[in-house]
Amino acid sequence: MRFPRASGILLHPTSLPGAFGIGDFGSEARAFVDFLAEAGQSYWQILPVSPTGYGNSPYSALSAFAGNTLLISPGLLVADGLIDGERLGADRQDNHSHADFGFAYEWKRKTLRDAFSAFSADSDSPLVEEFHYFRRENSWWLDDYALYRAITHDRDHQPWFEWPDELRRSDPEALTFVRSELNREIETEQFSQYLFYRQWLNLKNYANERGIKIIGDIPIFVALDSADVWCNQDKFKLNADGTPRVVAGTPPDSFSSTGQRWGNPIYDWEAMMRDNFGWWTARMAHSLRTLDIVRLDHFIGFVRNWEVPGDQPTAANGQWQDVPGRELFYILRDRIGDLPVIVEDLGEMTPAVESLRDDLGFPGMRILNYAFGGDAASRDLPHSYVQSCVAYTGTHDNDTTAGWYKSAPKHVKDHCKTYLGISGRDIHWGMIRAASASIADTVIIPAQDLLGLGSEARMNKPATTDGNWSWRLREDELNAGLAIQLREVTQLYGR
C-alpha cells in the first residue's frame, strides 16, 4: 500500500509531560496533536500501548489486545465525575524528565479502583450503557484478560505457568470458582479497559479531525507470561507444564558471539494454519480499529525464526525455522482488505524477506543513523531510497542523532558532514532536512531529534534492562517557534 508524501513525529504517550508519573491521554496529548497540526505534520507514531510487565517494555506486553491503563488521564476521570478534582492537586508530582513507573502504577491502580467504586454506586451515570456495550463487544478478549489479571494480582504476580495445575490448564470448574471469588477484581479490570479505550479513541478522533493519523506498532512476539499464551497454549511451542520448548532470538554475529536470546515463546505456525490464522486475524483487525496505520516489528520473523531450545542460556545453539508468512498475509488481506502496514525490515535481510515485503506492497524502513561511514551503496543513504519506504533519522532502539554523532568515529562524522554539506553544528536539523528532501513517501522524526537532545534522552538500549522507556518531554519544549521551523522544512520539501 502506497502512502502520500508526508511526515510525522515519533513520541510514545508515556513520554508526554504530566504530573502523575508518566504521560497520559489527557490535555498534554491534545497539546501535542495541536503542535503536530501547527507544524504541518501528518503522522503521530507511537510504540505499543499494551499493558507492560517487568521492565516496562512495550514490546513485552501482558496482552496483545488490552491497553496500558497507566495511560488513563486522571483529568479526564474528573471530567467524567469518577474521581474528585481535589485529589489531583494533593497527589500531583512536579514534571520530571524521566517516567516514574512505580508511582504511576500504585497511584493509578488505587485511583481506578476508586473510579470503579464511584461508577458502581451511580446507577444514573451516563457511562453505564456505554460500558456494558464495550464489555459485550470485546468479551472475546476482555473476559479472559480480566480473569488473567485478577488471578495474577491474587497470586502476587506469579506467572501463569507457575499457577496450580487446574488454573494453568484452565479447568472449567476451577475457573468458574475463581470468577466468583474474584468478581470485583475482574469487573474493575474490565472497567479500566473501557476507560482506556474510551480515552484513547477520543484522542485518536481528536487527532484525525486535525489531519493527524496514528501509526501504531505490533510486536511480532508476545510475552510468555501473558493472557494470550495462557489462553492459547495450543498455538505456541510449549512443554506440558507451560514452559517454552523453544524461544525467539537471533544467531551469533559480529556483535555477539552467542547471539541474542529474547525469551519470547514461538508460535506453533502449523497450529495457526489449521485455525486459518484466527488469532492473527483478530489481532490485526483489532489493531486497525484502534490505529490508522500499523508498523509490524521484526518483519524478518514472518519468513523465518531463529528458534533456541528453551533450556539453553544463550542463543548460540538455535536453528532457523521457516514461517508461513505469505499464507498469513494473504488470508489477512482476504479477510480485512487493504492493509495499511509499514514493516521493520532491519537486520539480516534475505531475498525471501524482500520478496514477501515487495509482493505485499509494504513499505520498509531506512535509518539515517546507519547510513554513514561506508560507501555510496548503503541502502540507508538518501540517494538509495525508493519511494515506497519510511525514512527515519533513528528509531526508539537507536541513540538520538546528537548522541550518535557525538560518539561516532571521525571517519563517520566526516562522511556525514560531506554528504549532508554541513559543518556538523545542529546535526539534527541536517539529518531532518536530508530525510525530508529524500524521495521516501514517509518521513518520521523522533521527538528527541527534533529537539536536538543527546544520549540522556535515548528511549531504549537493546539488550539492557535498566533505565529504558523512561524519557519524557519537559513542558513547553515543543513550542510555537519549533513548530514554525518544522513547518518551513515540511513545506519546502512538499510534505
Side-chain angles (χ1 to χ4, degrees):
M1 182 175 182
R2 286 289 301 276
F3 297 97
R5 186 172 175 83
S7 59
I9 302 297
L10 168 60
L11 178 73
H12 196 46
T14 60
S15 296
L16 290 163
F20 299 94
I22 65 173
D24 58 46
F25 294 151
S27 59
E28 293 288 354
R30 282 166 171 72
F32 178 64
V33 169
D34 293 340
F35 172 86
L36 291 173
E38 291 167 7
Q41 301 308 291
S42 301
Y43 300 118
W44 176 8
Q45 181 170 336
I46 62 175
L47 306 182
V49 289
S50 305
T52 58
Y54 176 77
N56 305 305
S57 170
Y59 293 90
S60 183
L62 304 176
S63 169
F65 300 95
N68 186 351
T69 55
L70 298 187
L71 292 169
I72 292 173
S73 162
L76 296 178
L77 296 181
V78 173
D80 283 331
L82 294 171
I83 61 173
D84 193 321
E86 294 182 1
R87 180 180 196 147
L88 304 191
D91 295 340
R92 67 185 295 114
Q93 295 182 324
D94 292 332
N95 186 54
H96 298 292
S97 60
H98 286 80
D100 186 342
F101 288 101
F103 171 83
Y105 177 83
E106 295 298 332
W107 193 87
K108 290 280 176 74
R109 181 165 169 76
K110 183 178 187 306
T111 299
L112 291 173
R113 284 177 173 274
D114 293 345
F116 181 62
S117 294
F119 169 78
S120 301
D122 183 7
S123 59
D124 295 326
S125 169
L127 304 181
V128 170
E129 185 175 345
E130 194 176 90
F131 170 54
H132 290 318
Y133 177 81
F134 172 84
R135 192 159 58 174
R136 288 194 306 272
E137 290 297 300
N138 293 278
S139 60
W140 55 275
W141 67 264
L142 180 62
D143 291 353
D144 287 336
Y145 174 71
L147 177 61
Y148 162 81
R149 290 306 299 268
I151 297 174
T152 298
H153 287 302
D154 186 58
R155 302 193 64 81
D156 196 27
H157 302 281
Q158 186 183 41
W160 68 265
F161 46 88
E162 295 180 4
W163 294 350
D165 285 351
E166 63 274 14
L167 294 180
R168 178 173 54 79
R169 293 183 287 100
S170 300
D171 177 76
E173 186 175 339
L175 294 189
T176 297
F177 176 78
V178 169
R179 285 191 181 96
S180 176
E181 289 291 301
L182 302 180
N183 182 63
R184 182 73 177 183
E185 183 76 28
I186 291 169
E187 289 192 341
T188 300
E189 186 60 47
Q190 291 173 330
F191 186 67
S192 297
Q193 287 298 314
Y194 156 69
L195 293 174
F196 171 90
Y197 277 107
R198 171 182 168 82
Q199 291 192 5
W200 169 244
L201 291 175
N202 284 341
L203 176 59
K204 179 180 177 295
N205 288 339
Y206 183 87
N208 291 165
E209 289 168 357
R210 284 152 184 79
I212 309 299
K213 290 186 176 181
I214 307 295
I215 303 175
D217 208 319
I218 295 183
I220 183 173
F221 298 118
V222 296
L224 174 60
D225 185 18
S226 65
D228 305 287
V229 181
W230 175 52
C231 296
N232 299 278
Q233 295 176 48
D234 61 327
K235 301 294 192 300
F236 294 85
K237 295 181 177 181
L238 305 176
N239 296 312
D241 63 358
T243 57
R245 296 203 314 271
V246 290
V247 297
T250 60
D253 56 22
S254 59
F255 298 102
S256 173
S257 61
T258 58
Q260 295 183 42
R261 186 187 187 279
W262 296 339
N264 304 82
I266 293 180
Y267 303 107
D268 185 334
W269 286 106
E270 290 186 3
M272 290 277 188
M273 288 183 69
R274 289 194 296 271
D275 187 38
N276 286 321
F277 301 108
W279 184 86
W280 268 102
T281 302
R283 188 182 190 189
M284 181 63 76
H286 178 75
S287 296
L288 291 175
R289 282 194 292 269
T290 57
L291 303 164
D292 296 304
I293 300 167
V294 163
R295 172 191 175 274
L296 283 177
D297 186 54
H298 193 61
F299 186 68
I300 292 171
F302 290 103
V303 173
R304 62 178 185 169
N305 288 151
W306 183 253
E307 295 193 353
V308 181
D311 59 358
Q312 293 290 303
T314 75
N317 295 321
Q319 59 182 347
W320 288 112
Q321 293 290 339
D322 291 338
V323 172
R326 190 174 296 274
E327 293 86 343
L328 167 65
F329 287 109
Y330 284 177
I331 285 180
L332 292 179
R333 195 161 55 186
D334 286 344
R335 291 178 174 174
I336 298 173
D338 286 339
L339 300 175
V341 164
I342 293 167
V343 299
E344 190 239 348
D345 55 345
L346 309 178
E348 187 180 348
M349 291 292 287
T350 66
V353 177
E354 293 179 347
S355 174
L356 179 61
R357 177 199 64 201
D358 295 343
D359 289 351
L360 293 168
F362 293 160
M365 295 170 57
R366 301 290 187 272
I367 313 298
L368 267 173
N369 283 183
Y370 297 159
F372 304 102
D375 58 29
S378 170
R379 74 192 290 270
D380 292 296
L381 286 169
H383 69 257
S384 299
Y385 292 174
V386 295
Q387 278 187 277
S388 183
C389 76
V390 184
Y392 293 79
T393 52
T395 74
H396 63 274
D397 284 333
N398 297 117
D399 199 349
T400 66
T401 288
W404 163 81
Y405 185 78
K406 182 178 180 180
S407 62
K410 183 178 184 300
H411 77 280
V412 174
K413 289 181 180 177
D414 289 344
H415 183 199
C416 180
K417 289 188 291 185
T418 301
Y419 187 92
L420 300 180
I422 61 174
S423 66
R425 184 180 179 183
D426 292 335
I427 181 66
H428 56 296
W429 278 110
M431 298 280 260
I432 290 170
R433 286 178 177 274
S436 300
S438 75
I439 199 174
D441 286 334
T442 308
V443 168
I444 301 293
I445 309 299
Q448 296 97 314
D449 285 355
L450 184 62
L451 292 163
L453 300 178
S455 298
E456 75 283 351
R458 183 171 183 165
M459 193 64 168
N460 180 50
K461 190 173 183 180
T464 66
T465 56
D466 295 330
N468 292 324
W469 316 111
S470 64
W471 173 77
R472 296 179 73 190
L473 280 169
R474 293 186 181 274
E475 292 181 11
D476 300 324
E477 277 190 301
L478 297 179
N479 54 45
L482 190 59
I484 292 171
Q485 190 174 4
L486 181 57
R487 176 182 280 274
E488 289 175 350
V489 171
T490 303
Q491 292 178 337
L492 180 63
Y493 297 115
R495 294 192 181 278

